[in-house]
Amino acid sequence: MKNIDSKSHVRGESVYLDDVPLLEGTLFAGVYDSPVAHGKLKSVDVSRAAGAPGVVRVITATDLVGENQIGGILPDEPLLADDEVHFCGMPVALVLAETEEQARAAARLITAEIEPLEIVTDARAAQAKNELIAPPKRFKLGDTERAFEDCAHIFEGRADSGGQEHLYIETQGAYVVPGEHGGLKVYSSTQGPTAVQRAVSRVTGIPMNLVEVDVTRLGGGFGGKEDQANAWAALAAVGAQLAKRPVKFALHRMEDMRMTGKRHPYSSDYKIGLDKDLKIVAYEATYYQNAGAACDLSLPVLERTLFHATNAYFIPNVSAVAYSCKTNLPPNTAFRGFGGPQGMFVIESAIAHAAEKLGVAREEIQRRNLIESGDEFPYGQIAESEALAAWTQADARFDFAGLKREAEEFNRANKFVKKGFALMPLCFGISFTKTLMNQARALVHVYTDGSVAVSTAAVEMGQGVNTKIAQVAARVFSLPVDRVRVHSTNTLRIANTSPTAASAAADLNGKATEIACETILKRLKNVAAPLVEAESPDDVTLDNGFVRLGGESTNLDWLGLVNEAYSQRVSLSEHAHYATPGIGFDWSVAKGHAFAYHVYGAAAVGVTVDCRRGTYEIDYVRVCHDFGRSMNTAVDHGQIEGGIVQGIGWLTMEEVVYDADGRLRSNALSTYKVPDVYSVPKEIAIVALETDRENLAIFNSKAVGEPPLMYGIGAYFALRDAVRAFNPENFPRFDAPFTPEKILSNLYAEDLKKMRAAK
Ligand code: MTE
Ligand code: LUZ
Ligand code: MOS
């Protein structure tokens, strides 16, 4: 089945924030944001802006009716700077004007007197000054100190990974319309409608029951709108409240890149110990997360780094500690994988380090250490593992040894072009690690024409969640899917939503939809039973719009049944609640059953490096992926392809660069490179893991949103393999992204050293 949005997307009929029709009298907002990364805000001069053409009002922190605070986890993030600025791009003043151009032109007339304070942009430097968002977090299994004493081989090193710009096609934005009783209707491009509702309520002082948030769909979120849509909606809301007119605020691309946070860069230290059979016996890691200037989601991101510190491997002795370090950069935030990829990059680096120094194949160490069912994760959960199954099935299908041989033969025959090969196993936990967030609700109405309307907390952002939810309702009612319509995400229809995140939206909201539909179905069967002379409602089934009795057809169809129920005054609506059973985590001991289940997989990645230029191509990514039982292979394959390309981008070409003054240098698409159609892998092959294990996913169709991104880590190590095929003397630093510049300097590392020495 196709994605239900494909037709309206292609025709340009899908409604995004910018397609919401504007009311007469709508004002447009612009912001003046801090030009310096850290300083005391002595004064702000808005006089020239206030007198500029079209300007209706200029708003600073002192004008707010409610609290000047939008921090969701810690109250450390003012909406508008008051006494200090903490990062370049921090909003200082809001301008409301009759047109967008006027608002932005006026914002440029604002000046501020800022007394500079010391700027810290590096995570380790911040940690050294004890500038932490919160005390460090630790995971511990076994006893690493004792275990290291018996290791045959021990390796220590450092691994760094960079930030990543979300680059959702639709930038951040909101449109706020004032209504009766001082209420506000907020259209927002957010993954978290309730988070927006809460932030708006807090900064305006208007209670949540007067703030309605509506989300039609997103032109991409990728985590960037899990928390960071709040600021723009809150600013527009403050404007609408004070000016008593509708306010639209949508960021331009360069504003979005400058003012919003990204994937957290990490710098990490590792120590890995192996026995003589290449079993990893002990692993220690210290992570320095660059949080930026406020907490945002940094702490749960940091926690997920710990959860995925050992990726798909079983290591009996683990000790990991993670610091969330406060720097003068825009607060970093959720990004597909949510800290997991950063943790996995470190263990994969440690394994590469050991393999290269020992002269064994990396995949030899990987395979010998895959986690098995019954093994314990460092956080106490017992694995039900598909790691070896995914690896073995990928090998059977794609022939790892053959792929490796192919690369080696090519490399013997070619001096200036080298091929590289790497394998990447995957294990990603599904559930919000904050247990309370694993809940959802669905509202289902059946109308008297037989059509079905569904609302849930899920936000459609291109990942196809609405398609899956429509499939759930259609399957329970046994109707063609075009009789079901999934509507906008709205806080009046569905309250207290968890954000659409953690890859869990289809599971949580799909399950709630299933419960709501099953409840209505049960009522309908009770109505049908006497009509078709059934002894028990259990003998009644629905099949493609018709009622069947004990499998035999009857004269009663869906429409007749629905209308009969209505005339008997039986409810055709249901509001259902779902909470994932069996999960829980106790932070006081850092142990628990954190995840409903894990998603497994294994990818083989092949690359070709042009050793004169440092440029490269990704030849193939061949994956065996654990779908459970996919309920929509078109959507799921799309997620895997997109995730892989986004992961490869993070590790090979996307380089977020801030200068020492905390200013973003990679602030446009001319300086920030993302994969395009020419740089995607020439081949992406996906096979489904065959398994019949039951799980807690909706219809056993496992979550697929984030996990595939991490296959991209394989591309990094395949490139490293090719670089070392050309220059085996060199041991490149683990320093992602592996850009063509870094590849070139590693291909000729010794020559560069000589050249520098000669100078
Ligand atoms: N796919 C598209 N097309 N656009 C997106 O913004 N976000 C990803 C993933 N796939 C995203 C996407 C992220 S970060 C998550 S958490 C999941 O989708 C969320 O949706 P799900 O829970 O329905 O999988
Ligand atoms: N968001 C969140 C997430 O709040 N908690 C999580 O555990 C999570 N995991 C992945 C992506 N987003
Ligand atoms: Mo995804 S990082 O959970 O929005």
Side-chain angles (χ1 to χ4, degrees):
M1 190 200 143
K2 281 193 182 124
N3 187 312
I4 53 173
D5 293 326
S6 46
K7 276 195 185 133
S8 67
H9 280 357
V10 170
R11 290 175 176 153
E13 293 168 354
S14 301
V15 174
Y16 298 86
L17 178 73
D18 250 359
D19 302 305
V20 175
L22 299 184
L23 295 167
E24 212 178 302
T26 292
L27 295 172
F28 295 86
V31 292
Y32 167 72
D33 58 292
S34 176
V36 301
H38 196 195
K40 282 237 172 302
L41 186 58
K42 298 298 224 187
S43 65
V44 185
D45 181 0
V46 302
S47 56
R48 281 168 66 213
V55 171
V56 171
R57 187 155 183 170
V58 182
I59 294 163
T60 57
T62 50
D63 297 316
L64 299 192
V65 177
E67 197 187 342
N68 184 20
Q69 186 51 248
I70 56 166
I73 291 177
L74 296 181
D76 64 352
E77 198 178 353
L79 176 64
L80 290 165
D82 37 34
D83 55 336
E84 272 198 10
V85 290
H86 302 289
F87 62 92
C88 281
M90 181 174 187
V92 178
L94 179 74
V95 180
L96 303 179
E98 299 291 344
T99 72
E100 224 187 300
E101 293 70 21
Q102 289 170 336
R104 286 197 162 82
R108 279 193 289 273
L109 300 175
I110 296 175
T111 54
E113 194 193 331
I114 300 169
E115 187 184 300
L117 292 170
E118 190 197 359
I119 295 166
V120 178
T121 60
D122 178 75
R124 288 183 190 250
Q127 193 266 350
K129 291 173 188 296
N130 205 27
E131 282 289 332
L132 300 177
I133 299 286
K137 307 252 175 198
R138 293 169 203 277
F139 272 13
K140 201 170 162 40
L141 179 70
D143 182 346
T144 47
E145 264 172 46
R146 261 227 337 255
F148 276 124
E149 284 169 14
D150 302 329
C151 285
H153 316 285
I154 295 176
F155 304 96
E156 286 180 75
R158 167 175 165 163
D160 290 5
S161 60
Q164 187 175 22
E165 165 60 44
H166 299 86
L167 218 84
Y168 23 65
I169 294 177
E170 180 196 35
T171 53
Q172 304 270 7
Y175 180 42
V176 180
V177 181
E180 281 189 335
H181 310 298
L184 298 171
K185 174 151 188 179
V186 182
Y187 300 90
S188 164
S189 178
T190 179
Q191 293 173 236
T194 296
V196 164
Q197 186 190 20
R198 234 182 253 128
V200 165
S201 169
R202 194 168 182 186
V203 298
T204 59
I206 298 171
M208 284 173 79
N209 66 354
L210 277 173
V211 178
E212 172 187 0
V213 180
D214 193 84
V215 186
T216 51
R217 65 176 68 257
L218 271 51
F222 305 112
K225 297 169 182 170
E226 180 174 338
D227 212 52
Q228 298 217 347
N230 298 2
W232 323 108
L235 286 169
V238 163
Q241 179 187 32
L242 296 176
K244 299 190 167 52
R245 283 168 68 175
V247 174
K248 170 101 182 256
F249 187 21
L251 299 184
H252 287 179
R253 177 64 64 191
M254 285 177 78
E255 294 171 337
D256 192 307
M257 292 179 81
R258 181 176 79 237
M259 294 197 280
T260 68
K262 312 179 192 311
R263 180 188 293 288
H264 294 81
Y266 273 63
S267 182
S268 309
D269 297 319
Y270 60 80
K271 179 175 177 186
I272 189 168
L274 300 89
D275 69 13
K276 58 180 189 352
D277 300 321
L278 302 180
K279 280 270 191 198
I280 306 172
V281 182
Y283 179 62
E284 283 179 0
T286 307
Y287 307 96
Y288 302 91
Q289 176 201 56
N290 193 328
C295 175
D296 191 272
L297 292 167
S298 295
L299 296 177
V301 167
L302 191 77
E303 289 163 15
R304 199 173 266 276
T305 301
L306 292 174
F307 279 105
H308 297 305
T310 54
N311 187 14
Y313 309 109
F314 171 64
I315 305 176
N317 301 285
V318 176
S319 173
V321 52
Y323 296 91
S324 183
C325 311
K326 193 166 173 175
T327 61
N328 299 110
L329 300 181
N332 286 313
T333 194
F335 196 132
R336 206 171 192 171
F338 205 75
Q342 289 95 320
M344 290 184 194
F345 180 70
V346 181
I347 180 78
E348 293 300 330
S349 295
I351 290 173
H353 185 158
E356 288 169 20
K357 297 293 180 196
L358 292 172
V360 302
R362 214 170 63 93
E363 57 272 20
E364 206 39 55
I365 301 180
Q366 290 174 310
R367 190 186 48 77
R368 287 188 199 196
N369 290 283
L370 291 173
I371 193 161
E372 292 177 40
S373 292
D375 288 342
E376 186 179 348
F377 286 104
Y379 46 94
Q381 185 161 341
I382 303 301
E384 272 190 55
S385 182
E386 303 280 12
L388 193 59
W391 182 283
T392 315
Q393 288 180 30
D395 190 10
R397 178 65 187 263
F398 301 124
D399 181 16
F400 295 163
L403 294 174
K404 197 173 163 90
R405 208 177 319 117
E406 218 172 82
E408 285 166 354
E409 277 164 18
F410 181 94
N411 289 345
R412 272 195 293 279
N414 293 276
K415 183 151 189 265
F416 284 101
V417 185
K418 295 293 183 190
K419 285 199 182 290
F421 170 77
L423 292 167
M424 178 64 197
L426 170 73
C427 169
F428 192 79
I430 302 301
S431 285
F432 288 95
T433 56
K434 194 167 175 61
T435 304
L436 80 83
M437 293 174 80
N438 296 286
Q439 54 170 312
R441 280 154 295 279
L443 176 65
V444 176
H445 298 307
V446 179
Y447 292 94
T448 51
D449 66 352
S451 64
V452 179
V454 182
S455 298
T456 72
V459 169
E460 176 59 55
M461 46 185 176
Q463 86 280 38
V465 69
N466 281 359
T467 300
K468 290 184 178 176
I469 285 169
Q471 282 181 278
V472 170
R475 192 189 294 193
V476 175
F477 291 139
S478 192
L479 289 173
V481 80
D482 60 9
R483 303 303 304 279
V484 179
R485 179 82 359 230
V486 180
H487 285 269
S488 69
T489 318
N490 184 297
T491 54
L492 290 183
R493 272 176 270 124
I494 304 293
N496 308 323
T497 62
S498 290
T500 290
S503 305
D507 278 359
L508 296 171
N509 297 281
K511 291 263 189 184
T513 303
E514 185 187 16
I515 294 168
C517 294
E518 288 286 359
T519 307
I520 296 172
L521 180 66
K522 198 163 168 221
R523 290 187 209 126
L524 289 173
K525 285 183 179 179
N526 285 333
V527 171
L531 297 176
V532 298
E533 291 169 3
E535 278 172 26
S536 150
D538 297 339
D539 299 336
V540 176
T541 51
L542 285 176
D543 182 20
N544 259 317
F546 285 92
V547 175
R548 286 176 169 268
L549 176 59
E552 300 292 312
S553 56
T554 70
N555 289 330
L556 189 61
D557 66 1
W558 168 256
L559 187 62
L561 176 58
V562 165
N563 279 282
E564 186 59 32
Y566 178 64
S567 49
Q568 290 183 25
R569 300 187 292 171
V570 169
S571 169
L572 292 169
S573 297
E574 185 65 16
H575 186 257
H577 171 82
Y578 174 76
T580 313
I583 52 171
F585 196 76
D586 180 356
W587 267 107
S588 69
V589 286
K591 299 279 177 200
H593 194 94
F595 299 114
Y597 57 87
H598 293 83
V599 170
Y600 292 88
V605 186
V607 301
T608 305
V609 173
D610 177 336
C611 299
R612 286 196 171 92
R613 295 178 181 81
T615 53
Y616 52 80
E617 288 182 329
I618 312 292
D619 300 324
Y620 60 82
V621 179
R622 294 177 182 150
V623 191
C624 177
H625 184 80
D626 169 23
F627 294 94
R629 275 193 296 281
S630 174
M631 65 187 287
N632 192 315
T633 47
V635 165
D636 286 353
H637 281 220
Q639 284 295 293
I640 292 184
E641 290 173 3
I644 287 172
V645 170
Q646 202 166 35
I648 291 174
W650 170 50
L651 286 155
T652 68
M653 59 200 295
E654 298 185 36
E655 199 170 23
V656 176
V657 179
Y658 289 95
D659 62 21
D661 293 328
R663 219 163 296 158
L664 181 67
R665 306 313 295 246
S666 52
N667 66 345
L669 289 175
S670 52
T671 46
Y672 186 77
K673 294 298 182 188
V674 289
D676 61 10
V677 71
Y678 300 105
S679 54
V680 298
K682 292 205 215 71
E683 180 200 344
I684 295 180
I686 303 162
V687 297
L689 174 85
E690 285 172 24
T691 173
D692 44 19
R693 228 193 277 267
E694 293 296 311
N695 56 53
L696 280 171
I698 177 72
F699 296 148
N700 279 302
S701 176
K702 282 190 172 181
V704 73
E706 295 169 285
L709 181 133
M710 286 151 266
Y711 293 134
I713 295 172
Y716 181 93
F717 291 96
L719 286 171
R720 187 177 171 95
D721 190 42
V723 167
R724 285 177 46 85
F726 181 82
N727 182 358
E729 302 305 308
N730 189 25
F731 181 81
R733 286 174 51 204
F734 296 103
D735 179 20
F738 219 172
T739 57
E741 291 89 333
K742 286 187 202 162
I743 288 178
L744 195 61
S745 49
N746 274 295
L747 289 167
Y748 300 99
E750 292 74 20
D751 305 79
L752 273 176
K753 248 179 242 152
K754 272 184 225 148
M755 276 164 60
R756 288 202 181 109
K759 267 193 189 161

